[in-house]
Amino acid sequence: MNIVIFGPPGAGKGTQSKFIVNKFNLYQLSTGDLLRNEIKNKTKLGSEISSIINSGELVSDKVVNNLIEKFISNDTYKNKIIFDGYPRTLDQAKNLDKLLKKYNQKIDLVLKLSVSLETVKKRIMERQTQENRTDDNEEIAIKRYKTYEISAEPVLNYYKQSNLVKVVNGETGISQINSEISVLIDGIKGWL
Ligand code: AMP
């Protein structure tokens, strides 16, 4: 089973991905983490993308599309991936389908975590003190939320056509969201 976890910054995608990884034996593929690693390791790509990430914009489709094939083509992760923060644009969603098809896989579930801008701002302020991410400040949080609002709709509409989208209220507590997600995943597993 491959899952996409979708939602604005601060929706809890990372937290919920880690929960799903542990409970359902999946692997998390976070493009945000991959990109931050490039910056941390001071690679050429890292130097090209750091200002984009810090401004709250999206890195180009070409860059992120190139990062994920290595993961999808690896047999260890076959049909066991939770995509966290990817796809974020329609182009990426189509690229993901193409790549999964190439390796005989598909997306089985798209979990959309919905949260308000007010909650996003609050959570990002909390995260700033814990993780010290350079793009976690109020101004950039608002920018990232707006970027999400613009790019998310075409992606969601794309997945809705295949009836893959389940919406989870991301405003409640972590364990409440854990349980709702578990029920949804168990339901899908029953069908597979
Ligand atoms: P995240 O950790 O998912 O919140 O991502 C942090 C930042 O990395 C985003 O604000 C983007 O600048 C960049 N990024 C992560 N994933 C993608 C993606 N799929 N497409 C474009 N940019 C991305």
Side-chain angles (χ1 to χ4, degrees):
M1 161 166 58
N2 293 312
I3 299 174
V4 169
I5 192 155
F6 200 79
K13 298 190 294 292
T15 306
Q16 293 304 327
S17 295
K18 288 187 176 67
F19 163 76
I20 297 168
V21 159
N22 288 328
K23 176 148 187 192
F24 295 95
N25 289 322
L26 302 183
Y27 294 91
Q28 179 187 11
L29 197 177
S30 156
T31 43
D33 283 349
L34 292 178
L35 295 168
R36 278 185 291 278
N37 269 339
E38 295 287 331
I39 298 172
K40 205 173 93 198
N41 295 331
K42 298 194 163 41
T43 64
K44 185 167 171 282
L45 176 62
S47 70
E48 286 161 16
I49 59 174
S50 70
S51 61
I52 304 173
I53 292 188
N54 290 338
S55 69
E57 306 270 354
L58 291 182
V59 170
S60 77
D61 290 334
K62 195 165 159 240
V63 164
V64 280
N65 287 345
N66 275 338
L67 283 178
I68 62 159
E69 180 160 6
K70 217 163 59 191
F71 212 88
I72 294 174
S73 61
N74 186 327
D75 257 357
T76 308
Y77 309 131
K78 189 166 183 182
N79 281 319
K80 288 184 184 159
I81 307 176
I82 172 139
F83 294 92
D84 164 11
Y86 183 96
R88 267 171 152 102
T89 65
L90 186 57
D91 179 90
Q92 292 177 21
K94 288 183 176 170
N95 178 70
L96 180 57
D97 271 353
K98 210 171 71 192
L99 273 179
L100 288 172
K101 208 168 163 190
K102 183 171 164 190
Y103 297 100
N104 286 316
Q105 300 176 64
K106 62 179 173 47
I107 294 294
D108 301 297
L109 174 65
V110 177
L111 286 171
K112 186 200 171 217
L113 291 176
S114 58
V115 286
S116 68
L117 177 58
E118 280 319 300
T119 304
V120 165
K121 281 200 262 182
K122 211 175 90 212
R123 290 201 187 148
I124 286 189
M125 288 307 107
E126 282 164 14
R127 190 164 71 183
Q128 191 183 30
T129 52
Q130 294 154 6
E131 293 180 21
N132 200 18
R133 272 175 56 165
T134 45
D135 59 349
D136 276 350
N137 62 60
E138 182 160 348
E139 190 198 333
I140 301 299
I142 295 169
K143 171 75 188 161
R144 283 161 62 211
Y145 191 90
K146 302 277 178 223
T147 305
Y148 165 81
E149 281 190 316
I150 296 165
S151 59
E153 207 180 303
V155 180
L156 281 171
N157 286 339
Y158 179 75
Y159 286 126
K160 276 181 191 160
Q161 283 167 18
S162 331
N163 267 330
L164 289 173
V165 183
K166 301 281 180 204
V167 181
V168 175
N169 179 2
E171 298 278 345
T172 58
I174 292 178
S175 55
Q176 165 79 22
I177 304 171
N178 288 167
S179 338
E180 277 182 41
I181 287 181
S182 294
V183 170
L184 290 171
I185 296 179
D186 282 334
I188 296 292
K189 274 174 75 185
W191 284 98
L192 292 178

